[in-house]
Amino acid sequence: MPVGPRPPDVSVAGFEGPLDLLLELIEEKKLDVFSVRLGDLADGYLARVRAMATLPADEVSAFLYIASRLVLLKARSLLPSLSPATDDDEADTEEELRLRLIEYATTKGRAEALGDRMRAGERVFHREGGTVDLPPKGGDPDALAAAWLKVLAITRRSEEEVEVPGERYSVEQRTAEIEALIAEQPAMTFGTLLGERPTLGYAIVTFIALLDLYRRLVIDITQDELFGEIRIERKVRRMEGISE
Amino acid sequence: MTRSATAAGVEAVLFVAEKPVSRAELAKTIGAGNKAVAEALAELEEWYRGTGLRLQHEGDDWQIVTAPEMAPFVSAYLGADRLRLSSAALETLAVVAYRQPATRAEVESIRGVNCDQTIYTLMSRRLIEELGRREAPGSPFEYGTTWEFLECFGLTSLDALPSVLTPEGVRSDDAVRSQ
Amino acid sequence: MTRSATAAGVEAVLFVAEKPVSRAELAKTIGAGNKAVAEALAELEEWYRGTGLRLQHEGDDWQIVTAPEMAPFVSAYLGADRLRLSSAALETLAVVAYRQPATRAEVESIRGVNCDQTIYTLMSRRLIEELGRREAPGSPFEYGTTWEFLECFGLTSLDALPSVLTPEGVRSDDAVRSQ
């Protein structure tokens, strides 16, 4: 039984993670996880990520990873020439992501079943003994030392865990910033947007914001060569007055 | 109505044991064969139906515990707290319980998020434990569930884990076993 | 063939209890009347005939013990030259041994879990004992290991405890004492 304070387990905006968010989208739209074209979910997914007020930096990357794959799948379905370069690149296939979703759905079902049992509170108890009158003998000092080491290891981790949660960024806020910037200045690079020495979280939030702006046809993104500088340009609106 | 002498002996030994006892040790202590002990355990299991006790085992280690329906009374007597876990911790526990042994990387790949915190929470509540290191690059720790886990969830053994249908309609435990 | 619900509840509570329990306390714990508890106890007494257990009482205090006919098996198990403690009890013993004198609150804060039951077990095995009260708010008891503890672990003195190094190479007992 726990005593003392414990750091809470973080869940973002009611989701246990990016796969959970994706499953939720599929359920909401009453789609079938086996047949849905995952690329079609890219827009809805980015919209949800954008709406999250703030994300802890280390969780953002998990959401970004799935976002980037959805966008890639969508791009491929629009431009068939973008098919994967090699078949070895299995991580990029739609089937792999689908299998992960299915496995996650199973895990979620199991977690719910365990949760039901936990809430029912029907635990069992063993006997610790205590009615024995014989003097104890045959203790193993090494087993005792090992138990002490185990306790120490767990205690040490609890001390390490008490760190203040890191920086938090809002994708929405960052999107608004970039949108304002691009309104004044028609082109810029990803590098300038990041500035000097960006943190990982900041880079990721900036990248999600760009994906979102791209989705909303506010900007164009180009990259001339692999690992080259990513250029961001204000999208020329062909027909004025069209809103999303 | 009467139990076999072996079953009575097994019951007495399990009653005084403060930790699970293997079938081989029971056989040696009682002076009976492995088969007789297996039968005695089955007899006890049957006998405890509808009583305040039940038989629990993990692999070949056996222990008498209280029946799960008696939890309110026993908790009241011992002043035990109720277990509370977040849904994130339950997800991590589900992966470890159904897939054990599982490494942190496996749990994270299934859940799609970092699981440091939830693994720590489950370890500090003694629901999961490090089983050893896997012979693989980086020698990651392998995790499995504990006796405490079986007790907290009122499971007689890992075979009693709730079986959940996968989206394909396959019983999830079968899906796992066939892996 | 089935037992009454009250009898099952009484059985479960007596099973985990480490000392005799009075009928009044049973009634309170189970939420049943004194008469129902008396009947349940009679039922259990009858039920245990021919099993490995029996119900014993001294005046109004009741407990489950092993049947006297099972004594050879029980002493074969307990008399074997090996200390048997649950892993929870062993952890608590380790904390007390390496940190003594330690209060219950200190043990619990180090282990991160409630230690009532294990401290009781270790006391009744005479592996630890109350050393006295600490001059601190609430005057908590301080616990230390006993002479039997040294004997049981084959240690000439507490200095002979295996020294455990933390990952930084500090002796763990020093590391903790300096906290």
Side-chain angles (χ1 to χ4, degrees):
Chain A
M1 308 305 129
V3 286
R6 291 255 170 258
D9 297 315
V10 187
S11 84
V12 175
F15 295 105
E16 295 306 338
L19 295 171
D20 197 22
L21 172 53
L22 204 49
L23 266 188
E24 191 90 339
L25 279 177
I26 292 172
E27 271 167 32
E28 270 176 28
K29 299 187 175 178
K30 304 208 186 316
L31 296 170
D32 180 7
V33 68
F34 292 99
S35 58
V36 61
R37 294 201 311 176
L38 296 176
D40 292 351
L41 299 169
D43 288 355
Y45 185 88
L46 279 170
R48 284 294 182 85
V49 174
R50 183 167 161 263
M52 291 175 181
T54 54
L55 292 172
D58 58 342
E59 297 237 339
V60 173
S61 60
F63 280 89
L64 168 79
Y65 176 68
I66 297 298
S68 63
R69 296 197 36 200
L70 292 175
V71 170
L72 183 64
L73 291 175
K74 186 185 180 190
R76 267 188 208 142
S77 68
L78 297 175
L79 299 168
S81 64
L82 267 181
S83 59
T86 61
D87 287 339
D88 302 342
D89 208 359
E90 214 185 307
D92 274 347
T93 65
E94 182 164 17
E95 264 336 279
E96 195 265 352
L97 183 55
R98 193 187 306 283
L99 284 178
R100 282 191 64 192
L101 264 181
I102 292 167
E103 179 155 39
Y104 178 71
T106 307
T107 296
K108 215 178 148 182
R110 290 166 171 170
E112 275 160 19
L114 287 178
D116 288 345
R117 289 193 81 92
M118 177 182 77
R119 282 180 287 276
E122 296 200 335
R123 65 157 297 159
V124 308
F125 295 87
H126 66 266
R127 261 182 106 239
E128 276 286 339
T131 45
V132 183
D133 279 333
L134 298 166
K137 55 181 170 177
D140 174 6
D142 290 336
L144 190 69
W148 175 232
L149 197 57
K150 181 181 163 199
V151 172
L152 278 181
I154 292 175
T155 314
R156 294 176 57 77
R157 285 218 39 185
S158 89
E159 282 160 8
E160 286 162 19
E161 294 293 332
V162 191
E163 285 170 20
V164 184
E167 24 172 23
R168 297 172 86 93
Y169 307 98
S170 151
V171 176
E172 189 162 27
Q173 190 189 342
R174 189 71 184 128
T175 309
E177 280 171 21
I178 299 175
E179 206 168 354
L181 213 58
I182 204 91
E184 287 175 12
Q185 189 184 332
M188 62 192 72
T189 65
F190 189 52
T192 23
L193 274 179
L194 290 185
E196 306 237 329
R197 320 192 70 200
T199 63
L200 178 63
Y202 187 70
I204 286 165
V205 167
T206 302
F207 193 67
I208 294 187
L210 287 177
L211 282 178
D212 191 45
L213 289 169
Y214 178 72
R215 178 186 71 86
R216 287 162 50 210
L217 308 177
V218 178
I219 57 166
D220 254 332
I221 301 177
T222 52
Q223 188 176 27
D224 290 337
E225 52 183 333
L226 197 60
F227 306 122
E229 183 67 271
I230 300 172
R231 280 184 297 155
I232 296 126
E233 285 166 46
R234 185 196 305 157
K235 193 153 181 115
V236 184
R237 301 238 169 165
R238 298 230 175 86
M239 287 170 282
E240 289 301 321
I242 287 189
S243 57
E244 316 178 38
Chain B
M1 197 56 181
T2 54
R3 252 175 262 191
S4 73
T6 315
V10 166
E11 183 179 40
V13 171
L14 289 181
F15 178 81
V16 295
E18 47 294 274
K19 59 200 277 189
V21 188
S22 74
R23 219 153 38 172
E25 190 171 5
L26 283 170
K28 198 177 136 221
T29 310
I30 309 288
N34 275 321
K35 187 155 164 287
V37 169
E39 281 166 10
L41 288 166
E43 204 179 324
L44 277 181
E45 210 154 27
E46 184 58 36
W47 199 259
Y48 285 160
R49 220 171 282 255
T51 76
L53 305 180
R54 70 145 84 177
L55 211 53
Q56 178 174 294
H57 72 108
E58 186 172 345
D60 199 34
D61 290 330
W62 297 75
Q63 190 167 37
I64 303 176
V65 295
T66 58
E69 303 79 31
M70 304 302 145
F73 307 139
V74 181
S75 305
Y77 178 78
L78 292 174
D81 298 328
R82 267 183 98 111
L83 176 69
R84 283 196 191 83
L85 293 174
S86 69
S87 46
L90 280 168
E91 276 188 14
T92 297
L93 183 59
V95 178
V96 174
Y98 284 83
R99 292 196 51 136
Q100 53 192 310
T103 64
R104 176 186 314 247
E106 283 164 353
V107 178
E108 292 185 342
S109 132
I110 290 174
R111 289 197 56 223
V113 291
N114 180 300
C115 297
D116 272 8
Q117 180 62 57
T118 52
I119 286 180
Y120 165 69
T121 300
L122 297 171
M123 292 252 297
S124 66
R125 306 216 173 145
R126 311 299 194 274
L127 293 169
I128 65 172
E129 64 188 347
E130 291 166 351
L131 301 175
R133 289 185 183 274
R134 179 171 297 182
E135 287 184 26
S139 314
F141 275 117
E142 291 188 323
Y143 297 91
T145 52
T146 59
W147 268 91
E148 179 78 10
F149 164 76
L150 292 179
E151 291 190 7
C152 281
F153 286 83
L155 302 168
T156 44
S157 74
L158 284 176
D159 295 333
L161 274 172
S163 115
V164 175
L165 292 188
T166 66
E168 295 99 321
V170 181
R171 274 186 43 172
S172 62
D173 40 357
D174 297 340
V176 167
R177 282 194 194 122
S178 67
Q179 270 173 8
Chain C
M1 199 53 184
T2 55
R3 254 176 257 192
S4 74
T6 314
V10 167
E11 183 180 38
V13 171
L14 289 180
F15 175 78
V16 297
E18 287 165 355
K19 50 188 170 192
V21 186
S22 73
R23 212 153 44 172
E25 190 171 3
L26 283 171
K28 198 173 135 229
T29 309
I30 311 286
N34 276 322
K35 187 155 164 287
V37 170
E39 280 165 12
L41 288 165
E43 208 178 321
L44 275 180
E45 207 154 27
E46 182 60 34
W47 201 257
Y48 284 161
R49 217 171 284 253
T51 77
L53 306 180
R54 72 149 62 182
L55 204 56
Q56 180 176 291
H57 69 110
E58 196 176 327
D60 199 30
D61 292 329
W62 296 75
Q63 67 179 337
I64 302 175
V65 295
T66 53
E69 307 89 273
M70 303 302 144
F73 304 140
V74 173
S75 28
Y77 175 80
L78 294 173
D81 200 15
R82 191 147 65 85
L83 178 69
R84 297 159 199 278
L85 286 176
S86 67
S87 56
L90 187 65
E91 278 186 20
T92 299
L93 180 59
V95 176
V96 173
Y98 281 89
R99 279 213 60 159
Q100 53 192 308
T103 65
R104 175 186 314 247
E106 282 164 354
V107 177
E108 291 186 343
S109 104
I110 292 174
R111 282 196 64 220
V113 286
N114 180 299
C115 298
D116 275 7
Q117 233 191 327
T118 53
I119 285 180
Y120 184 88
T121 301
L122 295 171
M123 295 251 298
S124 64
R125 295 281 157 85
R126 283 171 298 194
L127 290 167
I128 65 171
E129 65 190 346
E130 289 166 353
L131 301 174
R133 288 184 182 274
R134 180 172 297 181
E135 287 184 27
S139 315
F141 275 116
E142 290 187 325
Y143 296 91
T145 51
T146 57
W147 180 86
E148 284 91 340
F149 165 81
L150 292 178
E151 183 89 337
C152 167
F153 282 83
L155 302 168
T156 48
S157 75
L158 283 177
D159 295 332
L161 272 173
S163 102
V164 172
L165 294 185
T166 65
E168 290 90 4
V170 182
R171 271 195 48 177
S172 62
D173 39 357
D174 298 339
V176 168
R177 278 187 197 129
S178 67
Q179 269 175 10

